[in-house]
Amino acid sequence: MEKEMFSIVKIRFTDCDPIGHLNNVKYLKYMQDAREDHIEEFFGFSYDEYIKRTGCAWITIKNQIAYLKEVKANTKVRITSHTVNIDEKTTVVEILMTSEDRKTTHAVLWITAIYFNLKTRKTEEQPEDLKHLFHNSFLDLGNMSFDERAEALRKENKAQ
């Protein structure tokens, strides 16, 4: 079952470069903050509370981002997030930043995170209940790689 999780966010002038485009590093902040908000809002899940209760967390081990179309200051964007892969120890999340009307994709980010016990300093298998929870926001992309996904979104932008 796919659950659409999204936020509408205004791009702040202070997060833009001198020509008025969103600074590349700020895409990550906007997108990661939106994912954290989505998990809390749609699933009632707080990373902070979970870490305090279990001593476990997800540690980002890889970010892949493609900047597809610039975003200008004071523009409102729609940020969506979905789980695209989940296994025993890792989760891959896709976060899209699109125009508010969803006609243009500005960026796609894949975050790969590993489930990690902060007390033992070792990876562990993700609990089944959490895998099930995050599977509720699953987006099936088949065996599509990040580069293939970015190229498909780039082509969609050109078709607009």
Side-chain angles (χ1 to χ4, degrees):
M1 168 178 117
E2 180 184 326
K3 190 167 194 163
E4 179 74 354
M5 298 187 293
F6 70 93
S7 305
I8 303 296
V9 180
K10 182 179 178 181
I11 302 302
R12 300 293 172 188
F13 176 79
T14 55
D15 292 332
C16 294
D17 61 24
I19 59 173
H21 296 156
L22 184 60
N23 183 303
N24 284 2
V25 74
K26 293 296 184 172
Y27 281 84
L28 291 168
K29 180 171 179 7
Y30 277 93
M31 295 167 97
Q32 289 175 327
D33 287 351
R35 176 62 179 183
E36 183 177 350
D37 292 345
H38 296 165
I39 295 300
E40 188 170 344
E41 180 180 342
F42 290 88
F43 296 135
F45 184 92
S46 165
Y47 288 112
D48 186 47
E49 289 173 16
Y50 185 80
I51 292 167
K52 286 177 186 172
R53 186 169 46 81
T54 67
C56 294
W58 290 265
I59 306 298
T60 299
I61 58 173
K62 180 167 51 171
N63 284 324
Q64 295 172 280
I65 190 165
Y67 305 98
L68 305 173
K69 181 77 173 160
E70 75 279 352
V71 182
K72 296 181 180 176
N74 298 311
T75 301
K76 285 188 178 176
V77 295
R78 179 184 175 97
I79 302 175
T80 59
S81 66
H82 295 91
T83 304
V84 294
N85 190 25
I86 192 163
D87 61 27
E88 288 75 27
K89 292 187 178 186
T90 61
T91 302
V92 180
V93 173
E94 175 180 275
I95 306 174
L96 288 178
M97 181 184 286
T98 66
S99 57
E100 193 172 8
D101 64 8
R102 299 196 237 182
K103 291 182 179 178
T104 302
T105 302
H106 296 289
V108 57
L109 169 64
W110 280 13
I111 299 172
T112 303
I114 195 159
Y115 192 72
F116 190 79
N117 186 312
L118 299 169
K119 294 173 188 169
T120 65
R121 310 294 293 166
K122 294 182 180 179
T123 63
E124 290 186 1
E125 288 193 13
Q126 300 183 79
E128 285 301 318
D129 61 329
L130 288 178
K131 290 193 320 188
H132 179 72
L133 175 71
F134 294 130
H135 201 273
N136 284 331
S137 69
F138 194 78
L139 177 64
D140 187 359
L141 297 174
N143 291 324
M144 187 179 285
S145 70
F146 175 80
D147 289 336
E148 291 167 334
R149 177 70 165 151
E151 187 56 32
L153 293 168
R154 191 172 273 114
K155 285 179 181 175
E156 285 180 22
N157 279 352
K158 288 181 181 178
Q160 293 296 329

